Amino acid sequence: MSERIVYLDHAATTPLDPEVLTAMLPYFTQHPGNPSSIHQLGRAALQAVDDAREQVALILGCARRELIFTGGGSESVNLAIKGVALARQAAGKGNHIITSAIEHHAVLHAAAYLEQFGFELTVLPVDQHGLVRSDDLRAALRPDTALVSVMYANNEIGTVQPIAELGAICRAAGVPFHTDAVQAAGALPLDVEALNVDLLSLTAHKFYGPKGVGLLYVRRGTPLLPQINGGAQERRRRAGTENVPGIVGLATALTRAEARRPAEAARLRALRDRLIDGLLATIPASWLNGDRERRLPGNANLGFACVEGESLLLLLDQAGICASSGSACTSGSLEPSHVLLALGLDPDAANASLRFSLGHGVHDADIDYVLAALPPMVERLRDVAPCAPARDAVAVA
Ligand SMILES: *Cc1c(COP(=O)(O)O)cnc(C)c1O
């Protein structure tokens, strides 16, 4: 392993904040109770879950009863999509789901799964920067639309959608609206009233909390069928003994992320822009994927013509730089990213793209290190690449 590690893969996961660990530890040791137990150890655990719920409700601007703790982002998304779609179908309120082409696979695969239960799926296209157009949503809504799901911020290209606007369109049509806000926590406001959302998914490990614990906000009155059946936990919407340390960790991490959000977003934006501008200026035939302005503070996704992204990742790794091609879920498969293809990139251009996602541990010196290390790597790969530099043509400006 190289001496220096520059971790630029915060969109895949973030390291646990030591203060979050400290808040969690007593619930592994001193307070081991089951929140459903009547005795004092059970009551202490229940109190911790209640307190965590209150903390999260303050940040989302919702009632405590509108929150469901889950086993992570994928579970929250599955509960939102299957839970609402199946409840609406059972009530005779439709068999049609609308989502977008750049969603995380948790959303796309949950929606596709429902096709075998009689649902029809409309996948909204995005523009060259990854933005969903509100006119496309308006045109796609039908009397039998059961649910709309559009992500808040994209995990690969960082594009931030006009969620409040899309939510208002759904509300006027009387259709529940879910947003996968997993990448937004700690970077963008999460007020569910301002966002006009009926359901919102989060996962703690994307904001310096522990892995394996997530959250689903469900607006009061939204029909939802549980997807894990069993005990009466979470108001009968998600059975199973609560992950007490995880829930405490999620609430602590979200509270800390929210408190540092304005300053941290500004800091990351400056680092991100230095990285983007520096790489675009020094590497010929390179381009930025995603919207320049409507973008997560910590996301830089760039393409380098004539370069195999996977090869570049390996060279970066040898220099201690951890980046990513596509999402963590598709890397290794060598399938071009569905997100980049949806922007209109051809498969070669998609495979020539890398994501750098910044976070707390990243500072100016790390950006300097990448700016110095990366250009010669691209040059090296291009020297051996069987591809003419005329490839610039693939670049999406
Ligand atoms: C990471 C991620 C998920 C999945 O969350 P898990 O906790 O890993 O299941 C879903 N959506 C987006 C946008 C993500 O980035």
Side-chain angles (χ1 to χ4, degrees):
M1 213 156 91
S2 75
E3 303 229 338
R4 177 173 193 151
I5 296 286
V6 177
Y7 185 71
L8 299 177
D9 205 11
H10 291 80
T13 195
T14 54
L16 187 69
D17 177 342
E19 295 218 20
V20 171
L21 177 63
T22 302
M24 292 171 70
L25 282 175
Y27 296 95
F28 288 107
T29 52
Q30 289 125 276
H31 310 299
N34 183 323
S36 297
S37 298
I38 299 297
H39 50 67
Q40 57 172 305
L41 287 183
R43 292 199 306 274
L46 182 61
Q47 187 64 53
V49 172
D50 283 348
D51 291 348
R53 205 184 302 279
E54 177 67 36
Q55 275 179 278
V56 173
L58 276 173
I59 291 166
L60 269 57
C62 67
R64 281 170 299 179
R65 59 191 301 157
E66 294 175 309
L67 297 173
I68 304 175
F69 290 114
T70 69
S74 299
E75 189 193 317
S76 295
V77 163
N78 271 264
L79 175 55
I81 291 177
K82 295 175 190 170
V84 172
L86 293 169
R88 297 263 293 169
Q89 184 186 56
K93 295 256 174 67
N95 294 309
H96 176 231
I97 299 170
I98 300 173
T99 186
S100 87
I102 59 163
E103 299 295 310
H104 189 274
H105 279 148
V107 168
L108 290 175
H109 292 173
Y113 168 88
L114 288 171
E115 286 181 307
Q116 66 193 302
F117 298 100
F119 284 91
E120 255 184 83
L121 194 56
T122 297
V123 179
L124 300 175
V126 293
D127 70 12
Q128 61 174 340
H129 302 302
L131 282 164
V132 171
R133 300 176 200 84
S134 43
D135 283 344
D136 286 342
L137 172 60
R138 268 191 213 98
L141 281 163
R142 310 194 316 212
D144 66 338
T145 303
L147 173 72
V148 175
S149 185
V150 176
M151 74 199 313
Y152 194 170
N154 184 268
N155 48 306
E156 294 187 34
I157 56 174
T159 299
V160 178
Q161 302 295 338
I163 289 302
E165 189 184 324
L166 302 177
I169 293 168
C170 293
R171 184 152 309 158
V175 176
F177 180 53
H178 168 252
T179 192
D180 172 352
V182 163
Q183 292 289 333
L188 302 168
L190 293 178
D191 184 310
V192 294
E193 292 309 325
L195 287 171
N196 292 328
V197 296
D198 300 306
L199 303 109
L200 177 145
S201 293
L202 292 177
T203 186
H205 76 101
K206 301 286 174 82
F207 48 89
Y208 309 92
K211 292 170 180 61
V213 60
L215 181 84
L216 179 64
Y217 157 77
V218 186
R219 183 177 295 278
R220 212 177 131 216
T222 307
L224 184 85
L225 283 174
Q227 299 302 303
I228 297 179
N229 304 102
Q233 291 91 353
E234 301 297 292
R235 295 178 173 265
R236 301 190 182 276
R237 294 167 302 180
R238 199 276 189 183
T241 301
E242 297 86 344
N243 174 358
V244 180
I247 288 168
V248 168
L250 182 149
T252 307
L254 190 62
T255 302
R256 290 174 59 76
E258 192 58 20
R260 64 202 299 186
R261 182 166 64 82
E264 182 64 357
R267 190 186 76 88
L268 291 181
R269 215 172 275 127
L271 291 173
R272 172 200 73 186
D273 289 343
R274 212 155 70 70
L275 180 64
I276 292 173
D277 295 338
L279 292 176
L280 291 179
T282 49
I283 302 177
S286 59
W287 68 91
L288 179 70
N289 293 312
D291 195 271
R292 180 78 222 216
E293 303 302 326
R294 302 188 56 104
R295 175 178 212 100
L296 282 174
N299 176 288
N301 188 313
L302 295 117
F304 311 101
C306 284
V307 166
E308 192 61 64
E310 297 290 321
S311 311
L312 185 52
L313 271 189
L314 293 178
L315 291 183
L316 286 167
D317 189 38
Q318 283 166 21
I321 300 167
C322 306
S324 160
S325 63
S327 67
C329 326
T330 45
S331 62
S333 64
L334 292 179
E335 283 280 301
S337 147
H338 68 283
V339 174
L340 297 177
L341 295 181
L343 303 184
L345 269 71
D346 68 35
D348 284 342
N351 283 331
S353 297
L354 290 189
R355 174 186 72 188
F356 306 91
S357 44
L358 285 52
H360 290 350
V362 180
H363 300 282
D364 270 311
D366 302 304
I367 301 300
D368 293 337
Y369 182 63
V370 178
L371 287 175
L374 201 118
M377 291 176 186
V378 169
E379 214 165 300
R380 225 174 106 189
L381 291 171
R382 282 178 177 169
D383 282 345
V384 298
C387 142
R391 254 292 149 65
D392 308 22
V394 299
V396 184

